[in-house]
Amino acid sequence: MPFAYSRTIHFADTDAAGVVFFANYLAICHEAYEESLGAAGIDLKTFFADHGVVVPIGKSEADYLRPLACGERVTVSLKVQSLSENSYRIQYELSRLGPPAKVAARVRTEHVCIDSSTRTRKPLPPLLASWVAAG
Amino acid sequence: MPFAYSRTIHFADTDAAGVVFFANYLAICHEAYEESLGAAGIDLKTFFADHGVVVPIGKSEADYLRPLACGERVTVSLKVQSLSENSYRIQYELSRLGPPAKVAARVRTEHVCIDSSTRTRKPLPPLLASWVAAG
Amino acid sequence: MPFAYSRTIHFADTDAAGVVFFANYLAICHEAYEESLGAAGIDLKTFFADHGVVVPIGKSEADYLRPLACGERVTVSLKVQSLSENSYRIQYELSRLGPPAKVAARVRTEHVCIDSSTRTRKPLPPLLASWVAAG
Amino acid sequence: MPFAYSRTIHFADTDAAGVVFFANYLAICHEAYEESLGAAGIDLKTFFADHGVVVPIGKSEADYLRPLACGERVTVSLKVQSLSENSYRIQYELSRLGPPAKVAARVRTEHVCIDSSTRTRKPLPPLLASWVAAG
């Protein structure tokens, strides 16, 4: 079942064009990823630090469909898909609440689990593998 | 009555020391300010754009008391105080939820209402003056 | 001829994994875009404000190949390609200086010129069209 | 002798009011601090990571005197002052280049060297102590 995360657009998300800076759409989607991991019982402080095994983003793609202004409410829904025993893809849909609600962006990220010293691929840790399997 | 705003520390708030970057404490407090204005019926999109009258921050002060890590929950309480017919001060207390809860930072900002072309002081717009008066 | 932009990785670019946050690679590439436009005589303050015609990013793609740490020097090279009379694509290559230099990311963005009220496509303004034509 | 650092205001520094977001003045000053440390031979990647001894900012103060727009050039000058064997203050003056040049902000930060586990004060490491002494 897709996970959903909601928040308000902040002033700091915007730029001088009056709307959210394009790279901040990705940061907002990453917040949804963090919330979803946290809801699955993964300790975020440990997960996102470098303790020898890290899961960096290898690719991102984004389609920016609508501008977002300070004070607007958005919801990010997120679906995870396994790519291999050491990698997965996340698809995000970011919607501006309405009525009517409108899709504001679609974002995809690919994550690869590696040893942070050797940069070689490692299997996903068990809790993370369960999170991916739960989709 | 002080306004309270809660949120989780995001990965994007942190820096390579593993905790929230010092300038981001101010950005988090500003989010509380936005929420409080929004709760008072002020349209944030209009308020924070430049439509001739703007209310920039003239001063800020911050005491950073504790580090904050990704995934930790914080609450920001906020009190407003009138300084003149065209200016006000906001005091923020940012606490990390516990148990036990711990104060992580105290921040103050001063805001001055000006004409954005001439940079001369202007009285606060009525809705904003009411928000300040409500404290 | 490709345009090149250099800068040092700042502490604020990094996150708790100790390296540049993935969305900040896009922000660094956007700086290169701004420098290139400025070098072509385009006034950035006017260009990036909303004066009725805006050129938002419709798509972005990024391949993150190497982590970047605070204090490291990077160079971004940039090539522009026309897609239509109202759109263009930029390809960025972000390299960490060496020796040996190593490609750290490849980023692509697509930009579409629109009327900011009606969201309909508009031809590129002349200076921008010249910048695109110069490649 | 004060250290000087120059850079251009980026689009990502700005907010929907069309000028640099207040917290980003502090981030820009921190860049000047990083450059000054790097010029003194301090390895930034190691210095800003947590290897048991960290030098977090305990206080900041800022006076925001002028707005800054995308594309404007700024210079940050920086002076350091010892406060004790484990702490120091930095005063920054951020100027918008002219002609005529105008002071856009004055910022102060206080830094305390601590053991990151026990949070007790520690003497400054030798290279950092030399940097402070050189002022």
Side-chain angles (χ1 to χ4, degrees), chain D residues 17-42:
Chain D
V19 291
V20 173
F21 183 60
F22 82 114
N24 289 345
Y25 284 77
L26 277 69
I28 293 169
C29 287
H30 201 277
E31 294 175 16
Y33 170 48
E34 297 162 31
E35 288 286 320
S36 178
L37 290 175
I42 293 174

Side-chain angles (χ1 to χ4, degrees), chain A residues 98-123:
Chain A
K102 299 271 190 179
V103 178
R106 290 197 179 87
V107 173
R108 283 134 340 258
T109 53
E110 290 186 18
H111 302 245
V112 181
C113 185
I114 59 171
D115 178 301
S116 63
S117 304
T118 62
R119 313 298 291 176
T120 55
R121 291 185 172 226
K122 303 273 290 182

